Amino acid sequence: MARVAIVLAGGDLVAPEMRSSLPDDAYVVAADSGVHLVDILELHVDCVVGDMDSADPAAVDAAVRAGATIERHPAEKDATDLELALVAAQRHGVDQAIIVGGAGGRLDHFLANVALLASPRFAELRIEARFADARVTVVRGGGPPVELDGAPGDLVTLLPAGGDARGITTKGLRYALHGENLLPGTTRGVSNVIVEPPVSVSLDDGALLVVQPLGGAS
């Protein structure tokens, strides 16, 4: 059975209702102020990672009392807290990472978080992120088709990440792709629409960020 990590990132307020869509047996890593989401989502955190510059010390102490380990890093580091948290999850041996939060705050942090999802460093992980009002799923070349949740009328955007995305094939979308390419900077993949679930996306080479606005079409 695949092992799943939930990675809690700072910057977002999340609804307690999100808890019902998260797995119960996941390894939970909080990236710095992501520890503030532990009580909201009623999760047991296993590890808190970061330089602790934005985490409430009381929340960190509470996590330690509940059994969490702390992985402290200097403020002058070469990676964001979210990247360090993903590394910690990967080191634990998980196959999948679900990132919660990370869209609020500074624009540069958000853009870095989105770019991080498709990093080759995490190519062995199946990554999904829930950024504020959207879900982002990473689809990598050469892997099996990735199935997406959604209902007819929901929007789906396909964005190439880190280079060309080649040999893209989709099923269940209004504007189907059949072994086609999307190049960096294109807007061709924006605002596709689900017509017939289940939807699947695959590609031969490269990586795609599949973005689904939560709440469906607009």
Side-chain angles (χ1 to χ4, degrees):
M1 182 176 180
R3 293 220 56 193
V4 181
I6 298 171
V7 179
L8 304 175
D12 287 354
L13 292 176
V14 302
E17 292 76 17
M18 183 182 290
R19 177 65 184 89
S20 63
S21 66
L22 297 173
D24 293 326
D25 57 350
Y27 180 72
V28 180
V29 184
D32 206 299
S33 63
V35 73
H36 301 159
L37 303 182
V38 170
D39 288 341
I40 296 173
L41 296 173
E42 298 182 352
L43 291 169
H44 170 80
V45 64
D46 295 288
C47 182
V48 183
V49 179
D51 56 17
M52 309 303 161
D53 66 337
S54 55
D56 183 345
V60 176
D61 290 345
V64 171
R65 289 194 301 271
T69 60
I70 304 297
E71 186 178 307
R72 293 185 182 273
H73 293 265
E76 295 181 354
K77 56 189 188 302
D78 295 329
T80 64
D81 294 322
L82 178 57
E83 181 173 357
L84 294 170
L86 278 172
V87 170
Q90 189 176 48
R91 191 170 60 240
H92 193 73
V94 302
D95 303 298
Q96 179 181 4
I98 301 172
I99 299 167
V100 177
R106 288 167 41 181
L107 177 61
D108 55 341
H109 282 181
F110 174 56
L111 294 176
N113 288 344
V114 173
L116 178 66
L117 302 182
S119 168
R121 183 173 191 176
F122 305 114
E124 300 304 314
L125 290 178
R126 288 181 290 120
I127 294 180
E128 173 190 317
R130 301 180 187 182
F131 288 136
D133 58 354
R135 176 186 291 111
V136 182
T137 303
V138 180
V139 182
R140 297 185 186 273
V146 173
E147 289 198 355
L148 307 174
D149 294 329
D154 287 355
L155 295 177
V156 175
T157 287
L158 308 179
L159 298 175
D164 299 352
R166 297 190 172 277
I168 304 166
T169 298
T170 65
K171 293 183 180 179
L173 296 179
R174 177 177 298 167
Y175 309 108
L177 297 175
H178 303 285
E180 298 176 59
N181 304 329
L182 291 178
L183 307 184
T186 183
T187 58
R188 181 185 176 191
V190 174
S191 295
N192 212 320
V193 183
I194 295 177
V195 291
E196 186 178 355
V199 172
S200 68
V201 179
S202 64
L203 68 157
D204 295 333
D205 187 61
L208 282 173
L209 299 178
V210 180
V211 184
Q212 296 176 266
L214 299 178
S218 62

